[in-house]
Amino acid sequence: MKIVDAKVIVSCPGRNFVTLKLITDEGVYGIGDGTLNGREKSVVSYLEDYVIPCLIDKDPQRIEDIWQYLYRGAYWRGGPVTMTAIAAVDMALWDIKAKVAGLPLYQLLGGRSRDGIMVYAHATGEDIAATLDEVARYVALGYKAVRVQCGIPGIASTYGVPKDGKPYEPADAALPSESVWSTEKYLNFVPRLFQAVRDRFGDELHVLHDIHHRLTPIEAARLGKDCEPYHLFWLEDAVPAENQSSFRLIRQHTTTPLAVGEVFNRIYDCQQLIQEQLIDYIRCSVTHTGGITHMRRIADLAALNHVRTGSHGATDISPVGMGAALHFDYWVPNFGIQEHMAHNEQTMELFSVDYSFKSGFFTPGDKPGHGVDIDETLAAKLPYQRACLPVNRLEDGTLWNW
Ligand code: CS2
Ligand code: MG
């Protein structure tokens, strides 16, 4: 069997997606997600100019060898662009292998370890009352876990909170829009939010929160302590994690579980975090972390250290990436939770999926492969639209982490 052709399909059903299709001489093809929010075209170039020419005539069944070829063979290893491009190839190759075997992908990984995949939804609102109503809406839909983000009094716009009733998409302008941040206002407000959530919804609901890299370790430690009475499922991205030892200080001060990793792209980004047991959940995704082949390595290291998975699943993970993630989640023994932010209607017309939701849990479906495909005719009618992620400044104008 040989790879004879490859296409990189860029489409914008309300937001941009990069989809790779690898075609074999036997007519079987595989689909992979190569979407890197706000940097889509860099992955397109990396695939078209450097990766695809190396794949033609290669045996698609040799997933591991192709992975090593693209990773070690690049000399300039790692980084989000490279690892997203490798992920797209890897996902497409697993799709081909599973289609050839006539099995759903999770069967090739070792079969399912659970009956359903618990997901969390995003509840957001401009104030506490609106946010609680959103939580109630998800609880009524059957969700067992909800991420809660709320507008902060005195700050004009807050990460995760949509404006003008539109669905939240952070890449909202052709050039980065600017938001303003106040750590003090945020730290004083957030415990009140979670007090209100517990008062209304009781103890059972799993409640999550994303800090989005905005605190220092000691500030994160304060928030973790302040939130202990509300027993969060996790606090996410407390501080930027380039310096992995930052998490030691947070860990010494609080029992609130910690999650991190949506911007990581390889195992070395979380090696210390995992080996020193500084976190509870690793948030790497199949799409940005070298595909299923590399995610298995991260998950195995995590399993040795009591760390569970909680993969990134914002709308910038396409339905292809979500499909592949759900097969991974169905198998991975140390699964924790999966993020799920629903895609809009046009996206779900563009992509056909085999996964389904029931009472707070997803299942990946039993079609051979990962079960997700793209309508290329429709994709051609939805051209790329430039969209960047915002930047963030402190109230005095200093550039901060968004
Ligand atoms: C996020 C994302 O889902 C999350 O937890 O932090 O919303 C993130 O901001 C986007 O994926 C950026 O592309
Ligand atoms: Mg996040």
Side-chain angles (χ1 to χ4, degrees):
M1 196 177 205
K2 280 198 301 195
I3 298 170
V4 290
D5 198 7
K7 292 183 197 172
V8 183
I9 304 155
V10 184
S11 54
C12 185
R15 62 166 338 289
N16 295 308
F17 292 112
V18 175
T19 308
L20 174 69
K21 181 168 183 174
L22 292 182
I23 300 155
T24 69
D25 57 346
E26 295 181 19
V28 182
Y29 61 86
I31 303 283
D33 178 19
T35 307
L36 183 60
N37 207 7
R39 292 291 183 272
E40 295 86 358
K41 287 193 162 184
S42 317
V43 181
V44 174
S45 157
Y46 197 92
L47 284 167
E48 287 183 342
D49 296 332
Y50 305 104
V51 171
I52 291 172
C54 301
L55 293 178
I56 301 302
D57 288 339
K58 283 218 158 60
D59 177 358
Q61 306 260 28
R62 297 184 62 188
I63 299 178
E64 187 64 54
D65 184 67
I66 291 177
W67 197 94
Q68 299 295 336
Y69 185 97
L70 296 176
Y71 180 75
R72 287 175 196 270
Y75 189 64
W76 310 107
R77 297 179 189 187
V81 174
T82 302
M83 298 308 282
T84 302
I86 294 178
V89 173
D90 189 77
M91 243 179 268
L93 293 177
W94 278 101
D95 194 25
I96 291 172
K97 195 182 266 303
K99 283 176 177 166
V100 169
L103 292 170
L105 205 167
Y106 71 82
Q107 292 290 13
L108 301 191
L109 300 176
R112 68 183 176 92
S113 302
R114 54 196 51 80
D115 299 332
I117 297 153
M118 182 166 74
V119 293
Y120 69 90
H122 287 200
T124 57
E126 295 205 12
D127 55 28
I128 291 185
T131 306
L132 295 189
D133 288 348
E134 273 293 286
V135 177
R137 195 166 69 77
Y138 284 111
V139 169
L141 289 169
Y143 283 87
K144 309 286 180 262
V146 181
R147 183 185 95 155
V148 182
Q149 307 292 134
C150 181
I152 309 296
I155 308 185
S157 70
T158 310
Y159 159 77
V161 181
K163 277 200 210 140
D164 318 320
K166 289 191 201 141
Y168 184 68
E169 270 306 337
D172 59 359
L175 286 175
S177 55
E178 297 211 357
S179 24
V180 176
W181 176 250
S182 160
T183 295
E184 270 313 304
K185 287 177 182 144
Y186 171 79
L187 286 178
N188 290 333
F189 173 74
V190 170
R192 300 215 301 272
L193 170 66
F194 290 111
Q195 167 85 66
V197 171
R198 285 295 174 215
D199 285 351
R200 177 148 163 201
F201 297 96
D203 277 334
E204 255 185 54
L205 183 69
H206 296 303
V207 177
L208 299 81
H209 182 68
D210 191 349
I211 300 173
H212 223 260
H213 326 272
R214 284 156 193 220
L215 300 179
T216 63
I218 200 68
E219 291 162 353
R222 167 180 156 193
L223 186 62
K225 276 177 103 160
D226 287 353
C227 287
E228 277 170 22
Y230 316 117
H231 50 91
L232 300 186
F233 187 93
W234 78 35
L235 265 185
E236 173 185 339
D237 287 346
V239 300
E242 285 102 328
N243 181 349
Q244 296 180 43
S245 53
S246 308
F247 278 76
R248 280 191 197 136
L249 191 137
I250 310 173
R251 202 59 159 172
Q252 280 156 10
H253 288 281
T254 180
T255 56
T256 296
L258 302 172
V260 69
E262 67 182 40
V263 299
F264 295 171
N265 48 73
R266 56 181 174 170
I267 198 163
Y268 304 107
D269 295 335
C270 47
Q271 187 178 13
Q272 184 185 2
L273 287 168
I274 292 174
Q275 286 178 330
E276 289 188 29
Q277 302 181 21
L278 301 178
I279 56 170
D280 302 280
Y281 296 93
I282 181 69
R283 298 239 323 120
C284 297
S285 68
V286 168
T287 300
H288 299 132
T289 323
I292 286 175
T293 299
H294 197 57
M295 279 292 281
R296 291 173 94 177
R297 303 224 150 93
I298 294 176
D300 283 343
L301 181 67
L304 298 179
N305 292 286
H306 308 283
V307 175
R308 292 191 283 165
T309 65
S311 289
H312 186 206
T315 41
D316 40 303
I317 305 291
S318 89
V320 179
M322 184 54 63
L326 290 169
H327 283 270
F328 175 80
D329 295 338
Y330 217 24
W331 157 75
V332 69
N334 48 325
F335 173 75
I337 199 166
Q338 167 70 51
E339 180 179 18
H340 177 250
M341 200 180 162
H343 290 111
N344 69 16
E345 255 176 54
Q346 197 170 42
T347 302
M348 298 318 282
E349 275 165 39
L350 179 62
F351 294 95
S352 55
V353 305
D354 198 30
Y355 54 79
S356 55
F357 174 83
K358 201 176 157 199
S359 309
F361 294 85
F362 268 84
T363 41
D366 272 319
K367 266 195 187 164
H370 57 48
V372 186
D373 209 340
I374 182 166
D375 176 342
E376 290 180 61
T377 316
L378 181 55
K381 294 183 193 145
L382 302 167
Y384 169 81
Q385 284 175 30
R386 193 187 153 87
C388 294
L389 290 170
V391 297
N392 203 19
R393 289 185 189 276
L394 301 180
E395 287 172 305
D396 70 356
T398 307
L399 200 85
W400 198 240
N401 316 308
W402 173 71

